[in-house]
């Protein structure tokens, strides 16, 4: 019997508001432990939460970008549980009335685009962080993260392979970052996901029992963890065993998952409407205003790049994966209208140095106008493509214009015919054996001569001109 997997993801994304969801403490990552706290986010009795409207605005942005409907009235609920990183002993979340529901996104798969349903997007607050001392039997708690606004994006169980799950995750990550409502930093936990998975015989409609992989924080681990779980489920089911519904943890070192706890039922949390917070009312006018302010999203941008710039879908996908990179590309093309050449340079040289320096597009010392200027110098035959790479590295390091670098380093291409003629005739004089080979019909030695000219000119000879003069002089010799 053949089995197939059924996968649904719950994504948690921290919203990029400057203050927390229910108090005015800073959300900045990396502060000294417990510096970003106040009586409200420390859960002191007698304090009252005040909701941050910006968090709602950001949630609506995401909901609209994911084709969700927005509920005119939504409500905060208390999710009750005890854990030392949760000072109030309940988390403010949304339950029976979330802010948005019934959406979908399109993901790319090897078999083409697929539509994945989104069950709901609701708001909640993050918990604190426990820090376990490695040497002493002590744990510390840091409440800086307590109360940072989160959205939870719950998908329908529409994915069938770990690759689809990963593609879905990347799609949502990129939308959040495009909207500038989440920094998407997975190492710092700003974007994380719980992956639910079950298996069933191919052709059946009913779902199998699921397990949940908790707090996955890299695209690769989500794929690896799901592969492991799918194999584990399939083996158990094939041998007539039963899957226990439980929460499991993926260990990246061993590549295996281990049981963490058997899944608590939702009613264990004793959800009830939070009496300290009024229901939220969102009017149509505000929704329209937010909708009109949405930026172009990655999928639309990619389509436009293919259509308007005539670049291949692969290039368009790479360039639009980041909003900053896409905007950089468009600016360069604005100054230098050869989209394919610009795309080549960004995908190779520019992305190479970005990666090597772990730098960001906006910190780049090479501004779009300067990259355009460099490409124009190649087009005008002032420098070769090869020299341009050297110039580019210098621009990246210093921020100087290509003009200045080319002049100061004497890199201008030699297009002076008489100068090249004398270099070439000297090379032919110095290499009689190679010339003889050529005259004997071994025309491939031309490559050797070109190499020698380039060496003599330190790479600055104009290649077109070199080839022309070489063939003139060689044909004179054979005459
Ligand atoms: P729970 O109440 O256990 O949290 P939910 O019904 O809220 O379960 O679903 C949580 C996530 O699990 C959703 O993303 C959903 O698509 C997914 N899911 C639900 N049932 C299954 C299943 N049988 N197999 C795989 N994923 C599932
Ligand atoms: Zn606070
Ligand atoms: Mg759930």
């Amino acid at each position: 019997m053949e089995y197939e997997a059924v996968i649904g993801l719950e994504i948690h994304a921290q919203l990029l508001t400057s203050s927390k969801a229910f108090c005015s403490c800073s959300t900045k990552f990396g502060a000294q432990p417990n510096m970003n706290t106040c009586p409200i986010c420390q859960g002191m009795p007698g304090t009252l939460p005040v909701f941050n409207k910006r968090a709602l605005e950001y949630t609506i942005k995401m909901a609209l970008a994911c084709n969700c409907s927005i509920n005119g009235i939504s409500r905060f609920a208390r999710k009750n549980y005890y854990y030392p990183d949760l000072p109030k002993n309940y988390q403010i979340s949304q339950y029976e009335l979330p802010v948005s529901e019934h959406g979908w996104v399109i993901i790319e798969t090897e078999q083409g685009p697929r539509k994945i349903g989104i069950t709901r997007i609701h708001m909640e607050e993050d918990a604190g962080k426990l820090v376990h001392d490695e040497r002493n039997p002590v744990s510390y708690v840091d409440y800086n993260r307590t109360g940072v606004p989160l959205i939870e994006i719950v998908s329908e169980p529409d994915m069938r392979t770990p690759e689809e799950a990963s593609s879905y995750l990347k799609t949502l990550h990129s939308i959040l970052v495009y909207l500038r409502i989440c920094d998407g930093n997975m190492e710092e936990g700003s974007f994380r996901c719980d992956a639910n998975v079950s298996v069933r015989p191919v052709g059946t409609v009913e779902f199998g029992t699921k397990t949940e992989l908790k707090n996955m924080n890299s695209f690769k681990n989500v794929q690896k963890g799901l592969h492991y779980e799918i194999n584990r489920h399939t083996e158990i089911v094939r041998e007539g065993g039963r899957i226990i519904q439980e929460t499991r943890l993926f260990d990246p070192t061993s590549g295996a998952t281990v049981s963490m706890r058997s899944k608590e039922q939702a009613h264990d949390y004793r959800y009830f409407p939070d009496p300290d917070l009024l229901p939220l009312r969102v009017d149509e006018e505000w929704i329209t205003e937010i909708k009109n302010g949405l930026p172009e999203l990655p999928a639309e941008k990619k389509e436009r790049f293919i259509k308007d710039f005539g670049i291949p879908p692969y290039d368009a996908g790479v360039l639009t994966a980041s909003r900053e990179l896409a905007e950089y590309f468009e600016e360069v093309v604005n100054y230098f209208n050869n989209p394919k050449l610009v795309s080549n340079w960004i995908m190779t040289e520019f992305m190479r140095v970005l990666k090597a320096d772990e730098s960001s597009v906006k910190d780049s010392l090479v501004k779009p106008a300067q990259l355009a200027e460099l490409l124009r110098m190649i087009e005008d035959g002032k420098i070769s493509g090869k020299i341009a790479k050297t110039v580019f590295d210098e621009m990246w390091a210093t921020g100087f214009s290509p003009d200045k670098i080319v002049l100061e380093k004497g890199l201008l291409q030699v297009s002076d015919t008489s100068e090249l003629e004398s270099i070439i005739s000297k090379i032919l004089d110095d290499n009689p054996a190679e010339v003889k080979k050529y005259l004997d019909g071994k025309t491939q030695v031309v490559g050797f001569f070109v190499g020698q000219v380039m060496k003599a000119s330190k790479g600055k000879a104009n290649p077109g001109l070199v080839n022309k003069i070489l063939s003139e002089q060689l044909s004179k010799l054979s005459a």
Side-chain angles (χ1 to χ4, degrees):
M1 187 131 47
E2 281 290 314
Y3 289 88
E4 72 172 355
V6 170
I7 301 166
L9 301 186
E10 297 163 283
I11 294 174
H12 284 100
Q14 272 183 8
L15 297 178
L16 267 180
T17 56
S18 44
S19 58
K20 293 186 181 180
F22 301 106
C23 64
S24 56
C25 291
S26 166
T27 55
K28 227 180 166 62
F29 183 86
Q32 288 289 310
N34 295 305
M35 288 307 283
N36 297 341
T37 59
C38 73
I40 294 174
C41 55
Q42 288 170 20
M44 297 292 177
T47 58
L48 285 172
V50 177
F51 181 52
N52 182 343
K53 189 178 174 190
R54 184 58 50 89
L56 178 57
E57 180 194 328
Y58 285 1
T59 310
I60 294 173
K61 277 192 179 180
M62 187 58 183
L64 292 171
C66 297
N67 308 290
C68 291
S69 58
I70 312 288
N71 290 326
I73 299 280
S74 66
R75 195 146 61 183
F76 287 112
R78 290 188 181 179
K79 180 179 180 178
N80 298 282
Y81 67 96
Y82 170 80
Y83 203 68
D85 66 5
L86 189 74
K88 298 193 297 295
N89 290 338
Y90 62 85
Q91 178 193 26
I92 302 177
S93 180
Q94 294 191 303
Y95 189 56
E96 87 293 5
L97 264 180
V99 71
S100 66
E101 299 171 271
H102 312 303
W104 49 268
V105 291
I106 303 288
I107 64 164
E108 301 279 347
T109 74
E110 302 229 313
Q111 287 75 40
R114 276 205 63 200
K115 189 171 175 174
I116 306 295
I118 290 180
T119 315
R120 55 192 268 149
I121 299 181
H122 70 248
M123 292 181 288
E124 54 188 35
E125 57 176 344
D126 213 342
K129 212 183 247 171
L130 290 185
V131 183
H132 305 290
D133 193 319
E134 299 285 329
R135 289 162 302 247
N136 301 303
V138 183
S139 288
Y140 302 93
V141 65
D142 178 2
Y143 288 152
N144 282 345
R145 203 175 69 177
T146 312
V148 168
L150 288 181
I151 50 177
E152 178 170 339
I153 306 158
V154 182
S155 86
E156 290 291 304
D158 285 350
M159 288 152 274
R160 296 290 172 266
T161 62
E163 291 68 32
E164 282 182 12
S166 166
S167 171
Y168 168 82
L169 207 56
K170 282 181 185 155
T171 303
L172 288 200
H173 183 268
S174 137
I175 295 174
L176 284 162
V177 175
Y178 258 70
L179 292 173
R180 304 210 164 114
I181 59 172
C182 173
D183 66 20
N185 190 323
M186 294 174 91
E187 287 97 68
E188 293 176 3
S190 315
F191 180 89
R192 49 197 201 255
C193 106
D194 304 334
N196 300 272
V197 57
S198 60
V199 300
R200 65 179 176 189
V202 171
T204 47
V205 184
E206 263 159 64
F207 291 154
T209 305
K210 72 174 154 78
T211 53
E212 177 184 36
L213 296 179
K214 205 78 189 157
N215 280 333
M216 308 293 285
N217 60 359
S218 89
F219 298 117
K220 228 186 236 134
N221 286 346
V222 169
Q223 280 203 38
K224 285 189 189 157
L226 283 172
H227 271 297
Y228 182 90
E229 267 310 273
I230 292 167
N231 286 335
R232 193 181 68 84
H233 281 223
T234 311
E235 260 171 47
I236 293 176
V237 175
R238 211 169 245 147
E239 283 160 19
R242 269 186 49 217
I243 305 293
I244 307 162
Q245 183 167 344
E246 62 184 353
T247 300
R248 298 176 69 88
L249 280 182
F250 174 68
D251 175 5
T253 353
S254 67
T257 67
V258 288
S259 178
M260 185 179 150
R261 56 167 187 250
S262 73
K263 177 78 185 176
E264 332 84 319
Q265 290 304 301
H267 60 251
D268 279 349
Y269 291 124
R270 298 289 193 275
Y271 280 100
F272 64 88
D274 193 314
D276 288 346
L277 289 154
L278 289 168
L280 291 171
R281 213 192 61 229
V282 179
D283 54 40
E284 281 300 324
E285 225 171 286
W286 195 34
I287 298 175
T288 310
E289 193 185 310
I290 294 175
K291 196 180 243 158
N292 292 338
L294 287 184
E296 184 179 38
L297 294 170
E300 307 164 52
K301 210 187 263 300
K302 183 179 168 192
E303 282 315 304
R304 182 170 61 82
F305 276 21
I306 296 169
K307 206 167 126 268
D308 291 4
F309 296 123
I311 56 174
Y314 174 81
D315 292 37
V318 173
L319 294 172
T320 57
S322 133
R323 182 169 164 188
E324 277 68 32
L325 198 65
E327 286 171 357
Y328 187 92
F329 166 80
E330 284 197 89
E331 267 193 74
V332 181
V333 172
N334 223 352
Y335 291 110
F336 179 74
N337 193 12
N338 181 340
K340 183 57 187 152
L341 185 62
V342 174
S343 159
N344 288 347
W345 268 76
I346 290 183
M347 291 198 307
T348 54
E349 298 311 301
F350 193 68
M351 285 178 69
R352 173 179 61 80
V353 289
L354 274 184
K355 193 163 173 217
D357 289 7
E358 288 175 19
S359 176
S360 70
V361 175
K362 77 176 190 322
D363 294 334
S364 161
L365 293 181
V366 181
K367 299 300 168 206
Q370 293 176 325
L371 180 55
E373 205 185 311
L374 179 71
L375 300 184
R376 177 151 300 119
M377 292 178 86
I378 304 174
E379 197 178 61
D380 293 348
K382 289 194 182 139
I383 52 174
S384 67
K386 195 159 169 226
I387 292 279
K389 290 180 184 175
T390 318
V391 177
F392 177 81
D393 283 340
E394 191 73 15
M395 289 163 71
W396 176 263
T398 62
F400 292 155
S401 74
D403 241 27
K404 182 177 154 90
I405 294 167
V406 166
L407 270 181
E408 280 181 2
K409 304 223 158 198
L411 296 172
L412 265 193
Q413 185 156 278
V414 180
S415 296
D416 177 336
T417 312
S418 59
E419 189 178 341
L420 287 178
E421 276 171 355
S422 69
I423 293 178
I424 290 171
S425 64
K426 179 163 187 306
I427 284 170
L428 296 182
D429 286 349
D430 289 352
N431 296 281
E434 306 299 324
V435 172
K436 182 161 183 313
K437 275 189 205 159
Y438 178 85
L439 296 178
D440 290 346
K442 290 213 174 81
T443 48
Q444 61 272 38
V445 292
V446 168
F448 165 79
F449 292 129
V450 173
Q452 292 299 306
V453 179
M454 284 303 172
K455 205 164 144 196
S457 70
K458 298 196 176 70
K460 292 184 295 182
N462 179 328
L465 213 49
V466 171
N467 279 313
K468 183 166 161 279
I469 298 170
L470 245 181
S471 63
E472 278 168 12
Q473 296 201 3
L474 285 170
S475 63
K476 258 186 229 151
L477 288 176
S478 51

